[in-house]
Amino acid sequence: MKLADNKATLSFSNGSPKIELPVYSGSVGPDVIDIRKLYAQTGMFTYDPGFMSTAACQSTITYIDGDKGELLYRGYPIEQIATNCDFLETCHLLLYGNLPDVAAKAKFTKTVTNHTMVNEQMQFFLRGFRRDAHPMAIMTGLVGALSAFYHDSTDINNPEHREISAIRLIAKMPTLVAMAYKYSVGQPFMYPKNNLGYAGNFLHMMFATPCEQYTVNPVIERALDRIFILHADHEQNASTSTVRLCGSSGTNPFAAIAAGVACLWGPAHGGANEAALNMLEDIQKMGGVSKVGEFISQVKDKNSGIKLMGFGHRVYKNYDPRAKLMQETCREVLSSLGLENDPLFKLAMALEKIALEDDYFVQRKLYPNVDFYSGIVQRAIGIPTSLFTAVFALARTVGWIAQLNEMIGDPEYKIGRPRQLFTGSEQRQVVPIGQR
Ligand code: CMC
């Protein structure tokens, strides 16, 4: 970051002396006012619940222009990445800052592939869960438990440990998600097959059984790979900020990523793909496309507490570019599976059309986000609804770990420690229990 030409001046109506605050520019995007010395100079904090106007770090990984509906990974538009690269190339880009050439890709793929198995003991840990446990409950536990199995990569201050834990996490997430699924349906776990690609291997671990030959469908494999690419990173969203805050204490990378998994689970974040599909299924049960108008009226009624899941975004005030790509993938997958007339896809299109024309959504700049169509694709692939967010977690792991490693390598990084505006009781005295 570099100092901008202008400075910010903060003045007070009570006559306190005004202060000047430095302003920094990034390479693109809004400038930032540096308030780090504000408390020392004025005794005041800033107040910004939900980080509406706060840049919590500097980063070189992902950039979103919310007004334009633009998403860049290390400078490359997501549309170009999604059409020209595969997920492991994207991982390389996010982790190391450059797209690999043929040799670097082969080396990286080999390294990741060498780490796809998990310690056999993980199976016994998994078996402690109820069969009907939500996959995200299981994933939070399993990812956290990795730190109990890989003691040689838990020192976040050691660059080699950071590197090996990054590779392990990227390599093992598909194995863990597939194990969580197999456990829920009572089928034997399938070991990874390292002659398959990253997405193909995940499909194999999910849908193969020891008694039959399983062949990966290339259209589905490519669609899943695209889902992974589109979810790989998204700058300082809630789960990434959670990973950074958690990691800022110096905890081990597996624990920090487990915190990210837990945060992602919420329906306002990664849980929206599951919630969006459940919403479509509910509308379908009520009568489908003919009920869209009625449903939209409920969404617009503030007292209903109903949201159009898969719509709206804190940063995008335009069409989420990932949603466009996901819609394209949705069409491809449905037509390759002969499901062109899928009622949920038709319903989603009808909902989108009405919402995009409705004043409520237009005024608030609410557009479909990535989760609006990703559930339909996953469902067509055969992934159960409750596993959608775990697939998101699998894909976002590379973003989390790249952001975590960037933070640890940043000389300006400090433990994250927000302050507060205290509005509770002032000091008071404890009254003995009999006199309260
Ligand atoms: N349906 C109906 N109204 C909405 C929606 C929605 N999906 N999203 C926002 N609004 C309204 C909201 O009620 C508010 O209206 P008003 O100004 O009258 O009070 C206005 O739009 C601004 O919304 P906000 O809640 O202040 O915006 P936010 O930036 O705090 O929230 C959001 C962003 C993504 C949490 C929210 O849009 C939402 O809950 N969407 C549905 C859940 C969803 O799809 N989440 C996935 C996000 S993308 C993937 C990811 O991050 O994991």
Side-chain angles (χ1 to χ4, degrees), residues 105-115:
K105 183 179 173 185
K107 186 166 172 248
F108 182 68
T109 304
K110 187 162 184 263
T111 311
V112 171
T113 306
N114 278 342
H115 286 276

Side-chain angles (χ1 to χ4, degrees), residues 268-270 272 302 307-308 310-311 313-314 360 364 369 371:
H269 192 9
K302 290 276 169 200
K307 276 194 167 176
L308 182 51
F311 252 71
H313 198 273
R314 171 64 59 80
Y360 175 96
R364 290 170 179 76
N369 59 52
D371 292 320

Side-chain angles (χ1 to χ4, degrees), residues 425-436:
S425 171
E426 290 178 30
Q427 192 187 89
R428 51 183 170 162
Q429 309 306 315
V430 173
V431 177
I433 190 163
Q435 296 167 29
R436 282 174 221 160

Side-chain angles (χ1 to χ4, degrees), residues 57-371:
C57 62
Q58 50 173 311
S59 182
T60 61
I61 303 173
T62 297
Y63 175 74
I64 304 171
D65 186 322
D67 293 324
K68 284 197 214 152
E70 182 180 81
L71 169 63
L72 309 176
Y73 286 172
R74 301 276 190 189
Y76 298 109
I78 188 67
E79 294 81 2
Q80 291 184 27
I81 299 285
T83 41
N84 296 301
C85 307
D86 66 18
F87 180 64
L88 283 185
E89 286 171 70
T90 310
C91 289
H92 190 284
L93 174 69
L94 292 170
L95 280 179
Y96 308 118
N98 61 294
L99 282 169
D101 58 16
V102 174
K105 183 179 173 185
K107 186 166 172 248
F108 182 68
T109 304
K110 187 162 184 263
T111 311
V112 171
T113 306
N114 278 342
H115 286 276
T116 49
M117 278 202 299
V118 295
N119 188 301
E120 200 69 359
Q121 192 71 15
M122 285 294 274
Q123 289 191 19
F124 304 108
F125 179 68
L126 174 59
R127 288 195 176 126
F129 285 97
R130 285 170 53 136
R131 292 268 176 192
D132 62 354
H134 192 282
M136 286 300 276
I138 295 181
M139 287 308 293
T140 313
L142 290 186
V143 175
L146 289 175
S147 50
F149 289 95
Y150 301 101
H151 293 144
D152 58 344
S153 52
T154 51
D155 179 2
I156 207 164
N157 294 311
N158 180 326
E160 278 170 26
H161 282 215
R162 292 207 294 273
E163 169 69 13
I164 186 68
S165 60
I167 298 292
R168 280 187 168 141
L169 277 156
I170 293 165
K172 294 181 198 309
M173 281 300 272
T175 315
L176 295 179
V177 175
M179 282 170 74
Y181 170 64
K182 287 296 197 191
Y183 183 66
S184 73
V185 289
Q187 287 184 4
F189 302 126
M190 294 301 290
Y191 287 107
K193 259 195 169 180
N194 287 351
N195 60 332
L196 295 173
Y198 190 86
N201 188 29
F202 178 62
L203 288 168
H204 156 80
M205 291 187 288
M206 285 283 295
F207 301 120
T209 59
C211 36
E212 271 177 20
Q213 179 69 26
Y214 175 80
T215 311
V216 175
N217 173 335
V219 177
I220 305 263
E221 183 179 16
R222 179 67 202 148
L224 193 60
D225 198 71
R226 180 173 273 195
I227 291 181
F228 294 164
I229 293 172
L230 298 184
H231 288 85
D233 195 46
H234 215 226
E235 53 124 296
Q236 307 312 318
N237 57 83
S239 58
T240 301
S241 300
T242 301
V243 168
R244 281 185 177 256
L245 191 57
C246 184
S248 77
S249 72
T251 192
N252 74 75
F254 304 108
I257 302 303
V261 175
C263 177
L264 189 76
W265 192 358
H269 192 9
N273 51 17
E274 179 178 345
L277 200 95
N278 287 337
M279 172 193 80
L280 290 175
E281 278 176 343
D282 287 347
I283 305 173
Q284 190 61 26
K285 277 185 215 139
M286 279 160 39
V289 174
S290 65
K291 293 287 172 186
V292 165
E294 197 180 306
F295 180 75
I296 294 280
S297 306
Q298 286 175 1
V299 169
K300 285 162 35 178
D301 173 7
K302 290 276 169 200
N303 299 320
S304 73
I306 297 176
K307 276 194 167 176
L308 182 51
M309 299 312 284
F311 252 71
H313 198 273
R314 171 64 59 80
V315 186
Y316 292 118
K317 300 302 164 203
N318 201 328
Y319 212 101
D320 178 342
R322 302 169 303 169
K324 272 195 199 131
L325 291 157
M326 195 53 84
Q327 196 195 67
E328 195 181 289
T329 299
C330 201
R331 283 184 200 284
E332 271 167 33
V333 168
L334 294 178
S335 90
S336 95
L337 296 175
L339 298 171
E340 293 90 345
N341 293 321
D342 179 62
L344 287 198
F345 184 57
K346 288 208 159 140
L347 181 59
M349 301 282 287
L351 260 179
E352 178 186 313
K353 186 168 183 299
I354 294 194
L356 291 180
E357 286 165 0
D358 191 295
D359 252 12
Y360 175 96
F361 295 89
V362 174
Q363 275 169 13
R364 290 170 179 76
K365 300 188 175 162
L366 300 172
Y367 292 87
N369 59 52
V370 68
D371 292 320

